């Protein structure tokens, strides 16, 4: 996960706590999305960024999992094309792993 | 006015394994953090030989000896499928070894910043003097002058006054800083800028050698790399373009630099097309050199996964855009795609803006385009690093957009992707893979009647400059020239005559009514 994003998420988690804060991912690949979910929950597994060894315990969801929460028209306009080309099941399965 | 044409294209690759080790930012960043890095220790064991780089199938496609369709037939991993009898010389260009390139860096250096060790300099002078394309290059005699000695070079490098130049693990020269304390003229910046200049000079020399274009016929040069030259009062002021033209004898040309990260080349080509179509300049060359910073960018993943360090190639290209000659493929300037500031950043919004909207203007449907060339990064480089197959991702998005627009059945999506898609074959040099590597092949395929039209797409991530989160993208269609120059225009002479006639009649009518 991008080092700057790690820093921004760390700052937000410190400010708002992890109870009412979730991370919404838009990754195009299962592996990369899983890596991001892992980084914000148990810490940066690559030990490269500010979340190395920092367990924020944040829950991450891929936007594909939140389809019902999004206005159908907006979802169609912004996400439906990618939904057609990406491996949705694989991505969701991978991201779920890190929510415990 | 008639549509402009793509007259010719040349492509250069330079294998630079020592630059990968000493100047690639993944390595320099690692060194800064951890001197005893395991990655830096293991990386030299993953470097490949020049012959391995020459016979690597994607590199043979880049210089035109194989077509992208040939590459489809070669099973991966490509690094284990060397092309038998592969040559460094290609139909569109050449693959150069690192020692000759260091010599070229000294030749193009106008401020005596490059110092080469005497014996090394003499060796490369002989090679460049015998090089079919570079033997007549301006300032070749620089390689007979002012050689350095090892003591001086080591002193400059150790004293942080110069960036080292290595060949096969041995220090053979350096690039000095150009100012005592100006960071925009530091040894690091000057090294990268000279790499960019030298590789672009090589591409332009190849274009002049491999096509009918003469140096003195070039009227404008647009340089579109991702480097910036200038001093602390005008960092990025330019002008790479004229410095490159100067080295190649383009005495009648002026030029300037265009920037938009990876989308730069597509912007530059649209500008060149406009200049040629308007008749402002008859012959425009769009070119860019390579980036040493990006060498070995994903090498940590390559090393971890036991692969060769495949990002050891600097890429460069030069493309000739001219007024309509009735033969060469035309650029449809009446349907240029652009990601607008207000377009939105979702992949769907981007693809609609740069693919669907221009095709609507041209009256084409997505499947009417025979080939799309977007981000042609070699997937063998990006997949191990978790970035996936970038060209394939683009093709799937284009296909999905066609399904959403009712131009394609969902069941036929992957079939369409197979038809208009191609495997990526360009090195991960940012602006280099961005649509342009296919232009040489596209022109040949159009001329041979294998395809009628192709769309070239440039996409750029502007957030990298930390000034905006906007995305960028530009596209254009090149297609078969009908041969009738008058017809190849948005509006014919006859139509203009009718329009003038109508306007005159209207004017006369109004005049009569008023009087």
């Amino acid at each position: 996960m991008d080092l700057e994003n790690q820093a921004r998420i760390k700052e937000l988690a410190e400010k708002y706590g992890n109870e009412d804060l979730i991370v919404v991912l838009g990754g195009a690949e299962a592996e990369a999305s899983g890596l991001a979910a892992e980084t914000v929950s148990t810490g940066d597994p690559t030990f490269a960024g500010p979340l190395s060894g920092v367990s924020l315990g944040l829950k991450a969801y891929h936007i594909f999992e939140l389809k019902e929460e999004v206005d159908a028209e907006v979802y169609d306009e912004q996400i439906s094309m990618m939904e057609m080309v990406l491996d949705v099941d694989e991505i969701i399965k991978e991201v779920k792993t890190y929510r415990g | 006015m008639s549509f402009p044409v793509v007259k010719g294209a040349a492509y250069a690759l330079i294998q630079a394994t020592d630059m990968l080790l000493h100047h690639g930012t993944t390595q320099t960043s690692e060194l800064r953090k951890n001197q005893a890095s395991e990655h830096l220790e293991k990386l030299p064991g993953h470097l490949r030989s020049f012959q391995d780089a020459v016979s690597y199938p994607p590199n043979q496609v880049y210089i035109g000896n194989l077509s992208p369709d040939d590459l489809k037939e070669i099973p991966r991993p490509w690094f284990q499928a060397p092309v038998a009898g592969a040559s460094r010389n290609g139909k569109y260009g050449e693959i150069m070894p690192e020692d000759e390139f260091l010599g070229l860096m000294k030749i193009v250096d106008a401020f005596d910043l490059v110092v080469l060790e005497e014996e090394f300099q003499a060796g490369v002078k002989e090679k460049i003097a015998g090089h079919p394309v570079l033997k007549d290059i301006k300032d070749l005699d620089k390689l007979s002058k002012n050689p350095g000695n090892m003591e001086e070079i080591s002193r400059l490098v150790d004293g942080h006054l110069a960036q080292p130049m290595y060949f096969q693990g041995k220090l053979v020269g350096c690039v000095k800083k150009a100012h005592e304390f100006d960071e925009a003229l530091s040894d690091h910046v000057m090294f990268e800028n000279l790499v960019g200049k030298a590789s672009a000079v090589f591409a332009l020399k190849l274009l002049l050698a491999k096509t009918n274009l003469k140096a003195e016929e070039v009227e404008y040069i647009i340089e579109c790399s991702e480097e910036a030259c200038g001093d602390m009062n005008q960092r990025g002021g330019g002008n790479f373009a004229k410095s490159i033209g100067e080295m190649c004898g383009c005495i009648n040309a002026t030029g300037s630099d265009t920037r938009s990260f990876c989308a730069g080349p597509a912007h530059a080509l649209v500008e060149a097309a406009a200049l040629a179509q308007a008749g402002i300049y008859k012959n425009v060359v769009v070119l860019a050199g390579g980036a040493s910073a990006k060498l070995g960018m994903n090498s940590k993943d390559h090393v971890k996964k036991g692969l060769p360090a495949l990002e050891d190639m600097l890429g460069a290209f030069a493309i000739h855009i001219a007024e309509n000659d009735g033969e060469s493929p035309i650029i449809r300037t009446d349907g240029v795609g652009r990601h607008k500031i207000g377009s939105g950043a979702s992949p769907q919004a981007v693809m609609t803006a740069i693919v669907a909207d221009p095709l609507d203007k041209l009256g084409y449907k997505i499947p009417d385009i025979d080939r799309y060339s977007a981000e042609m990064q070699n997937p063998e480089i990006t997949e191990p690093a978790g970035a996936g197959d970038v060209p394939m991702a683009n093709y799937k998005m284009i296909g999905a957009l066609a399904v959403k627009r009712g131009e394609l059945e969902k069941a036929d999506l992957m079939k369409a992707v197979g038809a208009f898609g191609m495997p990526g074959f360009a090195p991960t040099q940012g602006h280099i893979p961005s649509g342009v590597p296919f232009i040489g092949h596209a022109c040949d395929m159009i001329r041979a009647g294998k395809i009628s039209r192709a769309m070239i797409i440039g996409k750029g991530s502007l957030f990298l400059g930390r000034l905006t989160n906007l995305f960028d993208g530009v596209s254009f269609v090149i297609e078969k020239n009908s041969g009738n120059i008058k017809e190849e225009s948005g509006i014919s002479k006859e139509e203009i005559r009718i329009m003038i006639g109508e306007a005159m009649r209207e004017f006369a009518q109004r005049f009569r009514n008023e009087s």
Side-chain angles (χ1 to χ4, degrees):
Chain A
M1 188 186 211
D2 182 54
L3 308 188
E4 271 181 41
N5 281 342
Q6 286 193 31
R8 281 158 81 179
I9 290 170
K10 188 169 177 245
E11 208 183 302
L12 289 169
E14 279 161 3
K15 197 170 168 188
Y16 299 106
N18 64 7
E19 294 242 322
D20 295 321
L21 191 66
I22 61 160
V23 178
V24 181
L25 303 172
E29 258 214 330
E31 195 187 331
S33 303
L35 203 64
E38 186 181 357
T39 304
V40 299
S41 61
T42 57
D44 181 2
T46 66
F47 289 95
L51 292 180
S52 308
V54 180
S55 176
L56 293 181
L58 288 173
K59 285 186 166 44
Y61 294 82
H62 197 280
I63 189 66
F64 290 148
E65 296 178 84
L66 307 175
K67 189 171 180 177
E68 302 306 318
E69 314 293 327
V70 180
D71 180 281
E73 211 172 289
V74 173
Y75 194 89
D76 183 62
E77 201 184 295
Q78 303 282 328
I79 313 287
S80 60
M81 184 188 88
M82 292 312 285
E83 198 178 23
M84 222 185 294
V85 299
L86 299 181
D87 193 339
V88 175
D89 295 341
E90 188 64 29
I91 291 173
I92 293 179
K93 194 177 131 204
E94 187 67 22
V95 171
K96 262 188 181 167
T97 321
Y98 299 98
R99 288 206 295 270
Chain B
M1 254 174 282
S2 189
F3 288 125
V5 298
V6 185
K7 281 277 264 199
Y11 297 93
L13 289 173
I14 296 110
Q15 195 205 23
T17 50
D18 287 275
M19 265 182 218
L20 184 162
L21 289 178
H22 299 281
H23 304 282
T25 51
T26 299
Q27 284 61 252
T28 53
S29 304
E30 186 73 7
L31 189 65
R32 198 172 298 142
K33 276 193 300 197
N34 177 14
Q35 297 256 341
S37 150
E38 196 187 334
H39 167 64
L40 294 178
E41 197 182 305
K42 286 184 174 167
L43 182 57
H46 291 256
L47 299 177
R48 57 182 174 176
S49 68
F50 180 63
Q51 195 44 51
D52 283 351
V54 167
S55 58
Y56 185 52
N59 291 349
Q60 286 292 313
V61 177
Y62 191 81
I63 61 165
N65 286 341
L66 290 179
S67 77
D69 291 347
D70 294 331
L71 192 58
K72 265 188 199 172
E73 305 303 319
I74 301 177
R76 285 174 55 189
W78 290 323
F79 64 85
Q80 285 176 353
V83 178
S87 166
R88 65 180 271 186
N89 298 303
K91 188 178 180 194
Y92 310 141
E94 190 182 323
I95 304 171
M96 178 184 257
E98 194 162 10
D99 57 342
E100 292 173 32
F101 185 69
L102 299 183
L104 188 57
M105 280 175 72
K106 172 149 182 175
I107 293 173
V108 306
D109 163 30
F111 285 82
D112 297 328
L113 303 174
V114 177
V115 181
L116 293 177
E117 188 276 323
E118 188 161 14
E119 200 181 319
F120 177 81
Q121 178 167 293
V124 292
K125 155 123 209 243
E126 206 170 303
K127 288 184 182 176
I128 294 181
H131 190 284
V133 174
L134 296 173
K135 63 183 176 199
D136 62 346
I137 191 165
K138 181 181 175 297
D139 296 339
L140 175 62
D141 62 345
K142 276 191 190 157
L143 293 181
S144 310
K145 294 176 190 165
N146 304 326
N149 61 53
M150 281 315 297
E151 201 185 321
E152 179 200 359
I153 293 165
S154 301
R155 186 178 53 78
L156 288 165
V157 171
D158 294 343
H160 303 288
L161 300 167
Q163 287 288 309
M165 292 168 114
Y166 286 91
F167 180 60
Q168 293 179 340
K170 199 177 149 217
L171 184 67
V172 293
C174 63
V175 176
K176 294 187 285 185
K177 58 184 184 177
H179 190 276
E180 195 187 343
F181 53 79
D182 185 343
E183 281 181 17
L185 297 172
S186 68
D187 51 338
H188 168 90
V189 172
M190 290 316 301
F191 184 95
E192 289 185 352
N193 284 352
L194 285 168
V195 165
K197 179 182 175 185
S199 46
V201 164
F202 186 35
L204 179 53
K205 287 291 284 178
L206 284 164
L207 180 74
L208 296 169
K210 291 188 180 283
T211 68
N212 293 327
L213 179 66
K214 292 187 180 65
E216 58 275 17
E217 291 171 343
V218 179
E219 295 183 354
Y220 203 73
I221 299 168
I222 307 178
E223 198 267 7
C224 54
S225 73
E226 297 178 279
E227 309 301 338
C229 63
D231 72 12
M232 59 184 158
N233 292 314
Q234 54 276 307
R235 183 166 33 88
N239 179 316
F240 277 96
K242 287 186 90 166
S243 80
I244 293 158
E246 178 190 18
M247 292 308 304
C248 300
C250 301
I251 50 168
N252 293 314
T254 182
S256 62
D257 305 339
T258 282
R259 296 287 178 269
S260 189
F261 289 98
C262 305
H267 280 280
L269 283 158
V270 169
E271 290 162 15
L275 291 169
Q277 182 168 358
I280 294 173
Y281 302 118
K282 282 193 177 68
N283 294 297
V284 184
V285 174
V286 171
L287 49 71
S292 49
K294 295 190 186 81
L295 293 168
M297 211 162 35
N298 297 293
S299 59
K300 279 189 182 173
D301 291 298
H302 297 154
V303 168
K304 256 184 229 153
K305 291 177 180 162
L307 306 168
L310 297 166
E311 287 169 305
D312 57 354
M313 309 306 292
L314 293 167
F317 68 87
I319 293 166
H320 175 199
I321 306 296
E323 57 184 356
N324 201 333
D325 58 1
E327 290 172 16
S328 308
I330 56 166
I331 297 177
R332 289 293 301 268
T333 49
D334 53 344
V336 168
R338 68 187 192 280
H339 178 264
K340 300 173 197 168
I341 289 171
S343 287
S346 71
Q348 199 164 322
V350 171
M351 281 304 187
T352 302
I354 59 180
V355 176
D357 291 351
L359 293 185
D360 282 344
K361 269 193 232 164
L362 296 173
Y364 291 141
K365 290 185 166 53
I366 286 173
D368 292 339
I369 300 294
D370 299 311
R371 296 296 169 101
Y372 288 89
S373 175
E375 298 166 289
M376 298 307 286
Q377 280 95 336
N378 174 354
E380 198 154 87
I381 293 174
T382 54
E383 281 176 352
D389 181 336
V390 182
M392 181 52 85
N394 275 290
Y395 295 133
K396 284 182 181 170
M397 285 191 271
I398 293 168
L401 191 59
V403 172
K404 276 198 71 67
R405 288 163 57 86
E407 296 171 0
L408 189 70
E409 290 296 325
K410 197 174 174 189
D412 295 331
L413 196 153
M414 288 316 289
K415 203 174 129 201
V417 165
F420 60 56
M422 294 171 290
F425 56 88
T428 47
Q429 287 260 292
H431 56 292
I432 297 295
S434 198
V436 285
F438 181 58
I439 291 181
H441 291 289
C443 289
D444 275 358
M445 288 163 97
I446 289 171
R447 280 201 194 96
K450 285 184 187 160
I451 61 171
S452 299
R453 61 188 70 88
M455 180 180 261
I456 307 298
I457 302 169
K459 289 163 82 177
S461 301
L462 306 188
F463 79 89
L464 294 165
R466 306 297 193 271
L467 290 179
T468 174
N469 274 310
L470 284 174
F471 192 76
D472 193 30
V474 167
S475 70
F476 56 89
V477 170
I478 52 181
E479 70 183 13
K480 193 175 159 50
N481 196 320
S482 74
N484 187 338
I485 294 175
K486 282 178 189 159
E487 263 182 24
E488 296 287 17
S489 62
I491 190 159
S492 70
K493 251 188 184 170
E494 184 59 24
E495 283 171 297
I496 293 171
R497 222 162 43 94
I498 294 167
M499 280 161 69
I500 292 174
E502 278 171 4
M504 293 295 282
R505 266 195 301 281
E506 243 174 65
F507 178 73
Q509 186 67 41
R510 202 179 303 151
F511 191 71
R512 268 200 301 274
N513 292 347
E514 279 173 14
S515 55

